[in-house]
C-alpha cells in the first residue's frame, strides 16, 4: 500500500511515500493500492510521475487501484481538469469512480497558466506543435513581464530538448507525458517531462564506455551534473551532446531548480553562480524502481 501524505506533495514527499511502501514495481507484489487523503494536493510534476508509475504497474499486469478518500473532490476535479484520467490506462482501478467525461476537453484553455497533460511517443519524433503550445502558455501567463519573451524562449528550448531526448532514446511503447503549470502565488513556472523508458543514464553510460569517454566512470550524480553543465555526447561528435546543457543555461537565468528521477534515485540540482554544480546536488538514493526518466524544472519568476 502506498499512502500519499496530506497537504502539498512535492517530489520528495512522493518518493518518501514510495519508499515506505516497498518496491511496488520491482518486487513480488501482484497488486498495488494507492491511498489519496482528502487534503492531498499534488504538484504537476508529481502528477505525471504518479501517472507513469500507475501505467507501468498496469503494463506489468499488476492490479493497481487509486483510492480517493471522501472529501477529495477538489483534487479529483483538478486531476480530471488536467487530463490525468484521460491518460491513465483503463485497467487501473479508480475509486470512487473515473469521471464520465474528460475534464480536459470540457475546460481546455480555461486556465491561461496551465497546459493539460500532453502525451507523446517514446518511439516517434517529437511533435513541434506540442513544444510551441507549452512555450506559448508560459508566455501568456507572464505576458506583462518585461522578460516574457526570454521566458518563452527558455521554456521552448527546455521542452524541445527534453521531449526530443525521450523520443530519441526512451525505447518504450508506453506514452510519455509533458506538463506546465504557472503558480502565480508562488511566482514560479513548473514544467516536467516523464517517460517510462530505459532511463537516461542506462542509455548514455554504455555509449560513453564504447567510445572510451572518461565521463563513463563518473558516479550517477556527477554524470548527471556534467550533462546539464557542459554537455555529454553519446556520439563521437561532441557537439551533439550540448542540448541538455543549453536547457540548463536557459533555466538558471530564472534560478530554476532541476529535479531528476532515475531508476532508483532522485537528484535535486540547485543552481549556484548561474550553473549546476556537484556540491549543490542533493540525492535520495535506494528508491523503489520507477522506469524511465522524470525531469522537472521550477523557474522562479518573482
Amino acid at each position: 500500500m502506498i499512502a500519499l501524505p496530506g497537504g502539498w506533495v512535492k517530489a520528495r514527499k512522493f518518493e518518501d511515500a514510495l519508499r515506505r511502501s516497498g518496491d511496488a514495481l520491482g518486487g513480488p507484489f501482484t497488486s498495488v493500492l494507492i491511498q489519496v487523503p482528502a487534503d492531498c494536493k499534488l504538484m504537476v510534476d508529481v502528477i505525471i510521475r504518479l501517472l507513469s508509475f500507475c501505467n507501468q504497474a498496469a503494463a506489468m499486469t499488476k492490479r493497481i487501484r487509486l483510492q480517493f478518500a471522501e472529501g477529495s473532490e477538489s483534487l479529483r476535479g483538478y486531476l480530471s481538469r488536467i487530463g490525468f484520467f484521460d491518460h491513465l490506462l483503463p485497467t487501473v482501478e479508480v475509486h470512487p469512480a473515473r469521471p464520465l467525461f474528460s475534464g480536459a476537453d470540457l475546460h481546455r484553455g480555461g486556465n491561461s497558466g496551465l497546459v493539460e497533460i500532453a502525451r507523446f511517443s517514446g518511439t516517434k519524433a517529437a511533435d513541434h506543435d506540442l513544444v510551441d503550445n507549452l512555450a506559448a502558455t508560459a508566455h501568456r501567463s507572464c505576458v506583462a513581464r518585461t522578460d516574457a519573451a526570454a521566458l518563452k524562449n527558455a521554456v521552448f528550448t527546455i521542452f524541445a530538448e527534453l521531449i526530443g531526448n525521450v523520443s530519441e532514446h526512451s525505447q518504450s511503447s508506453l506514452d510519455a507525458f509533458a506538463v506546465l503549470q504557472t503558480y502565480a502565488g508562488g511566482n514560479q513556472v513548473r514544467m516536467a517531462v516523464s517517460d517510462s523508458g530505459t532511463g537516461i543514464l542506462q542509455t548514455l553510460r554504455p555509449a560513453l564506455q564504447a567510445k572510451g569517454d572518461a565521463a563513463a566512470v563518473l558516479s550517477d550524480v556527477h554524470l548527471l551534473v556534467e550533462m546539464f553543465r557542459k554537455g555529454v555526447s553519446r556520439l563521437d561528435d561532441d557537439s551533439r551532446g550540448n542540448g541538455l546543457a543549453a536547457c540548463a543555461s536557459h533555466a538558471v537565468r530564472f534560478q530554476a531548480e532541476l529535479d531528476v528521477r532515475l531508476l532508483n534515485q532522485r537528484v535535486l540540482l540547485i543552481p549556484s553562480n548561474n550553473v549546476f554544480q556537484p556540491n549543490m546536488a542533493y540525492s535520495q538514493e535506494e528508491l523503489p524502481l520507477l522506469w524511465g526518466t522524470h525531469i522537472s524544472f521550477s523557474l522562479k519568476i518573482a
Side-chain angles (χ1 to χ4, degrees):
M1 182 187 74
I2 300 170
L4 296 181
W8 279 107
V9 180
K10 297 183 179 180
R12 184 176 186 87
K13 286 187 176 182
F14 176 73
E15 298 297 350
D16 285 342
L18 288 187
R19 193 204 297 271
R20 287 192 296 269
S21 71
D23 195 349
L25 295 181
F29 302 100
T30 58
S31 62
V32 182
L33 172 65
I34 302 174
Q35 290 189 331
V36 186
D39 60 340
C40 183
K41 300 177 182 179
L42 303 176
M43 303 296 284
V44 288
D45 53 317
V46 172
I47 289 173
I48 60 171
R49 197 173 298 191
L50 174 63
L51 177 58
S52 289
F53 174 87
C54 291
N55 286 351
Q56 288 175 30
M60 297 172 71
T61 68
K62 295 177 184 281
R63 180 183 180 186
I64 181 161
R65 178 184 178 96
L66 274 169
Q67 180 84 35
F68 290 92
E70 183 178 353
S72 62
E73 291 81 7
S74 178
L75 175 60
R76 285 188 284 128
Y78 178 70
L79 292 177
S80 177
R81 161 72 182 85
I82 202 173
F84 176 87
F85 298 109
D86 298 337
H87 302 305
L88 192 66
L89 289 180
T91 53
V92 178
E93 301 173 23
V94 178
H95 184 83
R98 287 178 181 247
L100 293 177
F101 303 100
S102 167
D105 287 340
L106 290 172
H107 302 285
R108 194 172 304 280
N111 181 345
S112 63
L114 170 68
V115 174
E116 294 82 7
I117 296 172
R119 63 181 168 195
F120 60 98
S121 173
T123 57
K124 297 180 181 178
D127 182 351
H128 292 290
D129 289 340
L130 167 59
V131 178
D132 287 336
N133 183 37
L134 290 160
T137 298
H139 185 262
R140 283 196 304 271
S141 64
C142 306
V143 69
R145 292 172 54 90
T146 57
D147 57 354
L151 177 65
K152 178 181 180 180
N153 187 40
V155 171
F156 181 91
T157 301
I158 292 169
F159 271 122
E161 181 61 31
L162 296 183
I163 292 173
N165 262 277
V166 170
S167 299
E168 187 173 354
H169 302 294
S170 172
Q171 303 171 12
S172 174
S173 59
L174 289 174
D175 286 328
F177 305 103
V179 71
L180 178 146
Q181 170 81 68
T182 299
Y183 295 92
N187 295 316
Q188 64 174 286
V189 174
R190 189 170 292 261
M191 46 198 298
V193 170
S194 174
D195 77 271
S196 297
T198 305
I200 191 170
L201 296 189
Q202 282 62 39
T203 59
L204 174 62
R205 198 181 293 278
L208 296 178
Q209 292 170 340
K211 71 172 190 172
D213 194 310
V217 300
L218 294 175
S219 70
D220 286 352
V221 172
H222 279 74
L223 181 53
L224 197 65
V225 171
E226 287 302 290
M227 292 169 63
F228 285 96
R229 185 172 64 166
K230 296 180 180 178
V232 177
S233 177
R234 296 172 171 83
L235 306 176
D236 291 332
D237 179 10
D238 290 339
S239 66
R240 288 289 305 278
N242 294 328
L244 293 179
C247 284
S249 67
H250 281 276
V252 296
R253 295 174 189 172
F254 295 91
Q255 294 299 303
E257 294 183 356
L258 168 61
D259 192 295
V260 184
R261 179 39 150 105
L262 306 171
L263 295 189
N264 297 100
Q265 184 179 23
R266 170 182 168 258
V267 180
L268 175 65
L269 301 179
I270 297 176
S272 176
N273 296 322
N274 291 322
V275 70
F276 294 118
Q277 302 183 34
N279 66 335
M280 294 297 287
Y282 303 89
S283 178
Q284 280 180 283
E285 300 181 352
E286 299 182 1
L287 293 175
L289 175 67
L290 180 61
W291 291 108
T293 308
H294 316 268
I295 299 177
S296 69
F297 282 95
S298 179
L299 281 66
K300 296 180 181 178
I301 55 173

